[in-house]
Amino acid sequence: MASGAAAAARRLLLLRHRRRHLVPNHHFSSSSADEVLDGGRVKIFDRDLKRRHRDRAAWAMRETDPLVDAVADNLLDRLEDCRKAFPSALCLGGSAGAVRRSLRGRGGIEKLTMMDMSVDMVNRWRELESATEDGPEMNFIVGDEEYLPIKENSQDLIMSCLGLHWTNDLPGAMIQCRLALKPDGLFLAAILGGETLKELRIACTIAQMEREGGISPRMSPLAQVRDAGNLLSRAGFALPGVDVDRYTVKYNSALELVEHLRAMAETNALFQRSPILKRDTALATAAIYQSMFGLEDGTIPATFQVIYMTGWKEHSSQQKPKRRGSATVSFGDIRKQFGSNQD
């Protein structure tokens, strides 16, 4: 496997296609049938397994990762569009380390709390921070996004970079984030969208059909773009906004892709997953991937769709939509005015 920041940077094709989406009126629902019930609550992901994934990633993650660094940098770009400062900020799990690397004074953050469900990950962050001489006052806590251990009305800013898509109750986690924010506080999140790893999904499905005569859940369900705006609204955020980026990363092989996913703690954590991937199926997946999607230089591309979500906790200073029917100018009048100007 190629190593080093330079080699990784060469594999990252920053072919970002950003689209701004209006907030649709759809209801969020899981796309997976692989669910279990625990006390009446639907659980899709094994959070204990995900914690172990993050324990492993704490020591396997790269010092710099062009993909997660680009996602974190784009997430923090939104702070530059804000006129206010955010003295106290909370960064949740996922690629919080990349957020810390990319912060560079943005947002006027004076105190930054980094939280993760993995003790090993928190200790790793603490070790890396000890070598940093500048930046905001740092605090590290162990906690789960599903049961946010943060006081209400205590944070000016809450960020989550590539972590919340592993929660069983995403709307509930976002509601807890809103409650933890001060009035006029900002919520920023980046989650993986449904088009992520579409090439691997196709190759794995075909390989399972050929070798095993059927398919079993190998990859986790992810939110669709149409769901994101409704998630923000359901969580009670004001002024919701949604953007989508698509990144293409080149790998030397499917094995290298899987190793990168492990270092990102992005491997399968479904409750009803198949515990063993047969060797024949794995080899067939790699061969099909190369055959269907391989590039002329021998590498294979992998798509990562990232959905960025922005929401504010309500405050009296924020803009409010006008009451329906309160308009004083009709679209017909506007059309006539523009029509006459063109003539």
Side-chain angles (χ1 to χ4, degrees), residues 292-332:
M292 293 185 66
F293 304 104
L295 303 177
E296 292 183 358
D297 60 1
T299 62
I300 56 171
T303 298
F304 293 85
Q305 183 190 45
V306 180
I307 302 174
Y308 295 93
M309 298 186 289
T310 306
W312 295 82
K313 189 167 183 177
E314 288 189 355
H315 188 265
S316 58
S317 64
Q318 295 170 355
Q319 294 180 346
K320 300 292 191 299
K322 295 291 185 180
R323 179 177 54 84
R324 183 181 293 274
S326 62
T328 58
V329 179
S330 69
F331 281 110

Side-chain angles (χ1 to χ4, degrees), residues 66-121:
L67 174 62
V68 297
D69 287 349
V71 174
D73 195 56
N74 292 331
L75 183 69
L76 292 171
D77 276 347
R78 285 145 179 83
L79 295 178
E80 299 182 4
D81 298 331
C82 301
R83 297 180 181 178
K84 62 174 295 183
F86 305 92
S88 61
L90 170 67
C91 193
L92 304 176
S95 297
V99 173
R100 176 67 184 94
R101 291 195 297 269
S102 304
L103 195 57
R104 297 191 297 274
R106 286 184 282 192
I109 298 172
E110 299 173 2
K111 181 179 180 180
L112 176 62
T113 300
M114 297 176 66
M115 188 193 86
D116 198 274
M117 64 193 302
S118 163
V119 175
D120 287 356
M121 184 66 74

Side-chain angles (χ1 to χ4, degrees), residues 208-260:
Q208 284 189 293
M209 292 293 294
E210 289 183 351
R211 295 296 190 271
E212 302 175 20
I215 59 175
S216 59
R218 294 289 180 187
M219 304 184 70
S220 301
L222 296 169
Q224 300 298 318
V225 175
R226 63 179 180 271
D227 301 320
N230 186 59
L231 282 168
L232 289 164
S233 298
R234 284 183 59 184
F237 286 107
L239 307 175
V242 176
D243 289 296
V244 180
D245 277 6
R246 188 173 68 248
Y247 302 85
T248 302
V249 184
K250 294 200 302 182
Y251 297 91
N252 293 321
S253 66
L255 177 59
E256 186 179 53
L257 166 58
V258 172
E259 290 178 348
H260 187 199

Side-chain angles (χ1 to χ4, degrees), residues 329-337:
V329 179
S330 69
F331 281 110
D333 294 336
I334 295 175
R335 190 179 300 110
K336 290 179 182 179
Q337 180 178 355

Side-chain angles (χ1 to χ4, degrees), residues 14-307:
L14 292 180
L15 304 178
R16 294 170 39 223
H17 307 278
R18 176 170 293 174
R19 301 171 299 191
R20 186 168 298 277
H21 292 260
L22 298 176
V23 177
N25 185 23
H26 291 288
H27 293 286
F28 177 80
S29 61
S30 169
S31 60
S32 172
D34 304 304
E35 304 170 348
V36 297
L37 294 176
D38 180 18
R41 295 181 58 191
V42 175
K43 289 198 172 184
I44 302 172
F45 302 116
D46 185 339
R47 294 291 290 176
D48 185 61
L49 175 61
K50 182 49 56 180
R51 177 187 55 76
R52 297 198 299 272
H53 286 171
R54 296 199 59 74
D55 287 342
R56 178 179 61 191
W59 308 107
M61 67 180 181
R62 304 166 179 175
E63 292 185 5
T64 59
D65 187 319
L67 174 62
V68 297
D69 287 349
V71 174
D73 195 56
N74 292 331
L75 183 69
L76 292 171
D77 276 347
R78 285 145 179 83
L79 295 178
E80 299 182 4
D81 298 331
C82 301
R83 297 180 181 178
K84 62 174 295 183
F86 305 92
S88 61
L90 170 67
C91 193
L92 304 176
S95 297
V99 173
R100 176 67 184 94
R101 291 195 297 269
S102 304
L103 195 57
R104 297 191 297 274
R106 286 184 282 192
I109 298 172
E110 299 173 2
K111 181 179 180 180
L112 176 62
T113 300
M114 297 176 66
M115 188 193 86
D116 198 274
M117 64 193 302
S118 163
V119 175
D120 287 356
M121 184 66 74
V122 171
N123 289 336
R124 179 64 170 161
W125 289 339
R126 187 179 286 111
E127 290 178 3
L128 294 173
E129 187 62 30
S130 64
T132 304
E133 298 180 354
D134 56 356
E137 175 187 347
M138 298 297 299
N139 186 34
F140 301 90
I141 60 175
V142 177
D144 193 331
E145 295 95 331
E146 294 191 346
Y147 307 98
L148 199 62
I150 304 296
K151 293 181 180 179
E152 293 188 14
N153 302 309
S154 64
Q155 301 295 318
D156 297 296
L157 170 67
I158 294 181
M159 301 172 286
S160 176
C161 183
L162 303 180
L164 284 178
H165 51 270
W166 290 110
T167 58
N168 287 296
D169 182 9
L170 182 52
M174 292 171 63
I175 289 173
Q176 292 182 68
C177 289
R178 177 178 58 81
L179 293 175
L181 285 170
K182 299 176 183 179
D184 204 30
L186 177 61
F187 171 76
L188 292 178
I191 63 174
L192 292 179
E195 292 185 13
T196 297
L197 300 178
K198 59 183 181 181
E199 302 90 350
L200 182 59
R201 294 173 189 272
I202 292 172
C204 189
T205 299
I206 294 175
Q208 284 189 293
M209 292 293 294
E210 289 183 351
R211 295 296 190 271
E212 302 175 20
I215 59 175
S216 59
R218 294 289 180 187
M219 304 184 70
S220 301
L222 296 169
Q224 300 298 318
V225 175
R226 63 179 180 271
D227 301 320
N230 186 59
L231 282 168
L232 289 164
S233 298
R234 284 183 59 184
F237 286 107
L239 307 175
V242 176
D243 289 296
V244 180
D245 277 6
R246 188 173 68 248
Y247 302 85
T248 302
V249 184
K250 294 200 302 182
Y251 297 91
N252 293 321
S253 66
L255 177 59
E256 186 179 53
L257 166 58
V258 172
E259 290 178 348
H260 187 199
L261 294 176
R262 288 175 176 169
M264 295 170 62
E266 290 292 345
T267 47
N268 189 4
L270 288 172
F271 260 113
Q272 297 190 8
R273 64 192 177 279
S274 179
I276 299 176
L277 178 61
K278 295 180 179 180
R279 178 178 174 82
D280 287 349
T281 304
L283 293 175
T285 298
I288 293 169
Y289 201 136
Q290 185 70 47
S291 175
M292 293 185 66
F293 304 104
L295 303 177
E296 292 183 358
D297 60 1
T299 62
I300 56 171
T303 298
F304 293 85
Q305 183 190 45
V306 180
I307 302 174

